[in-house]
Amino acid sequence: MPNQNRPAAEMPDSASAQDTAQAERFNQARAAQAVAVLEDYAEMIGDLIEELGEARVTDIAARMGVAHPTATKAVARLKREGLCTSRPYRGVFLTPAGAELAERVRARHRTVVDLLIAIGVPPETAELDAEGLEHHVSDTTLAAFDAFLAKQPPR
Amino acid sequence: MPNQNRPAAEMPDSASAQDTAQAERFNQARAAQAVAVLEDYAEMIGDLIEELGEARVTDIAARMGVAHPTATKAVARLKREGLCTSRPYRGVFLTPAGAELAERVRARHRTVVDLLIAIGVPPETAELDAEGLEHHVSDTTLAAFDAFLAKQPPR
DNA sequence: ACAAAAGTGTAGCCTTGGCTTTATTTGACC
DNA sequence: GGTCAAATAAAGCCAAGGCTACACTTTTGT
């Protein structure tokens, strides 16, 4: 195909501006998904450290609902991203960057759950859905959620 | 992507009931992600058929922001799931099941965007975030969104 | 102190969903 | 009716994130 090889990032000139914008949305959603899992693991490690003083791979795996090698792999990715540290046969600890991420994720999670409940979603369902939703809430939207909640009559 | 050929991961007896519940939430979020991409493609194919009368692989790829082989693979998965049909070098068409899915996804997308805007999210951001959010909105939450919107003063 | 149990690590496999490269088919234009 | 560009397909690579199986530490209990 005379389809010139162009860098993946580039949009075909043939694509309309509208197509490009929509494609960009999908790409953004995919990018969000790429960090979602790491965020969950970081948050979980933060929770475990707070509760138990340390995060063990087995505990992480149990709470995430995965096999322990999966948790080990996730920890390796987190280490590669500079979000946590670990030594063989010892616990996992968050770096400052990791702790900051975990706190941010946790706050966002709370906001999302609260907003869903404020909208009228049953608390149990809110908790369930928030797990998937939270990773796709942009800063702008999160701010709007907070503003909405602030205006709400306290229940 | 959660792998679906696993023999029903056994829950360790050692895991507390709370751990198990949380793990279940994560597993559910992962399962939602598994169908998210297919939903997007189905919706896109529906859009293209409506606009152009048929959906070509190249158009699908351009709008989704992926290379054509990626779109071809997605079509193959959709066919495997019984959601669309296609013949070599011919367009892609939705089965009744696929069309139904596309319509459902489209309606959900609209509801999510409308809700975000009602909450106070800028329309542009709402559209952007909805792309990622919609796949994690359960039927229960969607109903709550609709109910909330129905109560809202029309703008 | 030492054996068993529990925890951790490593290796290797799978599917998804991206990508590029290369080959083939179609269709449009002269 | 032939040629050529565009569309499609096919093959093969990659990383992520699951899994099992097995090896090796560390901890624990007698």
Side-chain angles (χ1 to χ4, degrees), chain B residues 102-125:
Chain B
E103 186 43 50
R104 194 152 24 98
V105 170
R106 199 173 326 180
R108 192 182 55 188
H109 181 90
R110 274 197 302 270
T111 296
V112 172
V113 171
D114 289 349
L115 181 101
L116 290 176
I117 292 173
I119 291 298
V121 177
E124 199 160 319
T125 304

Side-chain angles (χ1 to χ4, degrees), chain A:
Chain A
M1 155 155 59
N3 201 356
Q4 333 131 10
N5 47 338
R6 35 179 115 75
E10 311 254 347
M11 275 303 160
D13 294 340
S14 57
S16 75
Q18 196 180 2
D19 278 7
T20 306
Q22 185 154 20
E24 201 40 56
R25 283 207 293 277
F26 285 112
N27 281 321
Q28 184 156 330
R30 280 192 286 269
Q33 187 55 38
V35 295
V37 177
L38 274 303
E39 289 181 345
D40 279 337
Y41 278 100
E43 182 185 7
M44 181 59 70
I45 292 170
D47 287 349
L48 286 168
I49 290 175
E50 188 166 325
E51 285 177 40
L52 311 175
E54 69 170 349
R56 325 273 307 283
V57 169
T58 298
D59 296 335
I60 299 169
R63 294 232 190 157
M64 295 296 297
V66 300
H68 81 265
T70 301
T72 300
K73 270 197 190 180
V75 169
R77 285 193 295 273
L78 286 170
K79 285 174 77 169
R80 179 157 27 99
E81 301 288 332
L83 297 170
C84 79
T85 60
S86 76
R87 294 197 338 277
Y89 296 98
R90 287 293 179 269
V92 178
F93 297 94
L94 294 174
T95 62
E100 197 273 339
L101 172 66
E103 185 43 49
R104 193 152 28 95
V105 170
R106 199 174 325 182
R108 192 182 55 187
H109 181 90
R110 273 196 303 268
T111 296
V112 172
V113 171
D114 288 349
L115 181 102
L116 290 176
I117 292 173
I119 291 299
V121 177
E124 199 161 320
T125 303
E127 193 65 52
L128 215 62
D129 283 18
E131 205 60 68
L133 292 173
E134 54 178 350
H135 302 290
H136 299 275
V137 174
S138 67
D139 289 346
T140 301
T141 296
L142 191 65
F145 283 9
D146 281 327
F148 179 85
L149 287 168
K151 279 191 313 216
Q152 280 293 106
R155 309 167 321 113

